[in-house]
Amino acid sequence: MNQYKAWQNELIAKDIVERLNRRKYNAFYAPTLEDARKKVLELIPEGSSIALGGSVTIEELGLIEIFRNGPYKLFDRYKQMTAEERIELMRQSLLADVLVTSTNAITKNGELVNVDCSGNRVSAMIFGPKKVIIVAGVNKVVEDLDEAFKRLKKIAPMNSKRNNHKTPCVETGYCMDCQIKARMCNYITIINHGMKFEGRINIVIVPFEMGF
């Protein structure tokens, strides 16, 4: 990475950590991928049940194999199963001890903005698991809610393509606001702060781009 870009990313990452902590989340700065992995694992007690939100960031961190082979009970959404089995696993995972996921956007005001297809990720972020751990790169940081909503539309085609959804945006590369069952963007949520259940939402910020 260009040294000036790296310098700017570090400043942005450290600044958003301070902002998030002021909003009563538990936010941490992790300078490297290894530091981010260590912080996530440090936050999960052995024997915990773990749910996963669909996340390229979590895949890039290599956490799925660690959870599969570690002293945890993993609700493994990535293993082969039927659609009916996947829905049932999503339902059961809402009561996991820990949710590990990412977020689609973080505003400078400390709002976590997300769009979901089935709703299991965003619902678990809001309520259910005792602890939520979010890992995000500086590419997720935006100025305000308007910019967050623009970002949701920008990344929608990539998520549709990743999940093999037959949507118009897969053909065009940009959001078509389709009104079909295969639509990815069914549920949009905003988490304003971490005050309701203080200490529940933990956010690890890294000073480079991760995920979409």
Side-chain angles (χ1 to χ4, degrees):
M1 184 189 300
N2 177 280
Q3 62 176 319
Y4 304 110
K5 182 65 173 176
W7 162 79
Q8 184 182 46
N9 282 352
E10 181 178 343
L11 291 179
I12 292 171
K14 289 180 176 178
D15 175 69
I16 202 66
V17 165
E18 291 181 6
R19 291 171 183 264
L20 290 168
N21 280 320
R22 288 199 294 268
R23 299 288 284 187
K24 303 302 181 183
Y25 304 100
N26 284 341
F28 308 91
Y29 172 72
T32 68
L33 281 179
E34 183 58 30
D35 289 321
R37 272 191 295 269
K38 286 180 179 178
K39 175 52 69 174
V40 170
L41 296 174
E42 177 186 308
L43 291 167
I44 305 176
E46 290 188 3
S48 295
S49 56
I50 300 173
L52 300 171
S55 168
V56 174
T57 298
I58 301 307
E59 294 175 22
E60 290 174 346
L61 272 176
L63 286 170
I64 297 170
E65 286 304 315
I66 293 174
F67 294 152
R68 283 173 174 165
N69 299 314
Y72 314 106
K73 176 189 176 182
L74 177 64
F75 291 97
D76 193 349
R77 59 175 291 144
Y78 292 100
K79 68 181 181 181
Q80 290 288 349
M81 66 185 84
T82 65
E84 292 77 15
E85 289 171 336
R86 190 176 305 281
I87 293 297
E88 182 57 27
L89 181 123
M90 289 177 177
R91 291 180 64 252
Q92 293 176 8
S93 66
L94 292 173
L95 289 178
D97 295 320
V98 182
L99 169 70
V100 181
T101 189
S102 189
T103 185
N104 296 133
I106 306 172
T107 72
K108 288 185 178 179
N109 197 39
E111 293 132 335
L112 308 181
V113 186
N114 286 279
V115 62
D116 233 18
C117 178
S118 300
N120 60 297
R121 177 179 65 109
V122 294
S123 57
M125 291 173 78
I126 294 168
F127 191 81
K130 298 171 187 175
K131 180 181 289 186
V132 176
I133 303 172
I134 295 165
V135 183
V138 290
N139 51 312
K140 306 294 182 76
V141 178
V142 297
E143 187 68 31
D144 52 29
L145 288 175
D146 285 343
E147 290 300 314
F149 294 138
K150 289 178 183 177
R151 188 171 199 284
L152 299 189
K153 286 182 175 291
K154 183 177 180 179
I155 65 174
M158 290 185 284
N159 276 320
S160 287
K161 181 71 172 176
R162 178 173 67 94
N163 288 285
N164 298 312
H165 281 230
K166 300 186 184 303
T167 54
C169 66
V170 171
E171 301 299 324
T172 65
Y174 55 87
C175 177
M176 302 293 290
D177 193 23
C178 62
Q179 302 299 315
I180 60 176
K181 188 172 182 179
R183 177 185 172 110
M184 280 292 298
C185 310
N186 297 312
Y187 307 98
I188 295 175
T189 60
I190 302 170
I191 297 177
N192 289 305
H193 51 72
M195 297 178 193
K196 178 64 178 177
F197 301 105
E198 197 165 340
R200 178 176 177 268
I201 300 179
N202 302 265
I203 307 173
V204 181
I205 302 291
V206 295
F208 37 82
E209 294 190 3
M210 292 197 73
F212 297 154

